[in-house]
Amino acid sequence: MSEPDVNASLAARQRQVLDAVTGTAAIPDGFAAFNVDVARRALLDKRARELHYAWPILAASLGERLRPLFAEFAEHRPTRGMRNDGYAFATWLEARGDLPLAGSLELAEARLWWVWSDDDTPPQRRTSRIASARFPGGRLVRTGNRVHTIGRPRTS
């Protein structure tokens, strides 16, 4: 086998292992399922810990529920970076009705200042001087650098 063929084969094999560790593919032949599962769980745990930096209010509001909920969310989703992971996780919780009020407010504020995309690109700073985002019981409105609350946050 020529060197380019060996390199291509190795790269394909490494991609299979990476996909297995991130939970997006089956474990390739020749690898111990236990070891791949340990690496997968360690990666999920690291990603959950990163939420404390990028989305501290969401992470704190979930408390002990953070790790199991995040593991369920991220089981078959490769990382897109801690900011994007946090946004996708918060919107996933919102759609399920599991987003705590404090997390809803943090998500609404994030929507005031950033434009989020569905791919791996980082969020872009909003250039408009006026933005609005809903939360349970009201709305946040940004005018310039000031944020105003309309309504009263409610938990149900």
Side-chain angles (χ1 to χ4, degrees):
M1 201 182 259
S2 68
E3 187 175 333
D5 291 339
V6 169
N7 289 341
S9 175
L10 177 61
R13 198 83 167 125
Q14 288 172 333
R15 183 68 202 183
Q16 289 175 337
V17 172
L18 179 62
D19 289 345
V21 168
T22 59
T24 59
I27 298 170
D29 292 335
F31 286 88
F34 175 79
N35 293 340
V36 172
D37 189 55
V38 167
R40 183 189 59 76
R41 283 185 284 130
L43 181 60
L44 284 174
D45 192 51
K46 175 186 178 280
R47 289 173 63 191
R49 283 191 320 269
E50 287 177 340
L51 283 179
H52 289 278
Y53 298 105
W55 293 81
I57 297 169
L58 172 63
S61 67
L62 288 170
E64 295 297 317
R65 296 178 357 159
L66 172 64
R67 302 250 169 146
L69 282 170
F70 189 79
E72 182 183 344
F73 160 78
E75 183 76 29
H76 301 292
R77 288 179 173 92
T79 184
R80 295 177 13 199
M82 69 177 140
R83 233 185 234 173
N84 286 344
D85 274 355
Y87 179 78
F89 180 51
T91 57
W92 179 78
L93 288 170
E94 182 180 48
R96 289 174 41 137
D98 286 338
L99 187 61
L101 178 60
S104 294
L105 290 168
E106 186 174 36
L107 177 60
E109 186 175 13
R111 288 174 171 158
L112 289 181
W113 296 100
W114 302 95
V115 177
W116 301 88
S117 64
D118 290 332
D119 58 14
D120 293 344
T121 59
Q124 301 298 310
R125 183 93 165 155
R126 282 196 185 277
T127 56
S128 63
R129 295 196 39 82
I130 298 174
S132 169
R134 289 186 175 277
F135 63 84
R139 178 177 290 281
L140 294 179
V141 178
R142 178 176 63 87
T143 55
N145 289 328
R146 300 189 66 153
V147 176
H148 308 277
T149 304
I150 299 172
R152 183 176 301 244
R154 70 176 190 280
T155 56
S156 56

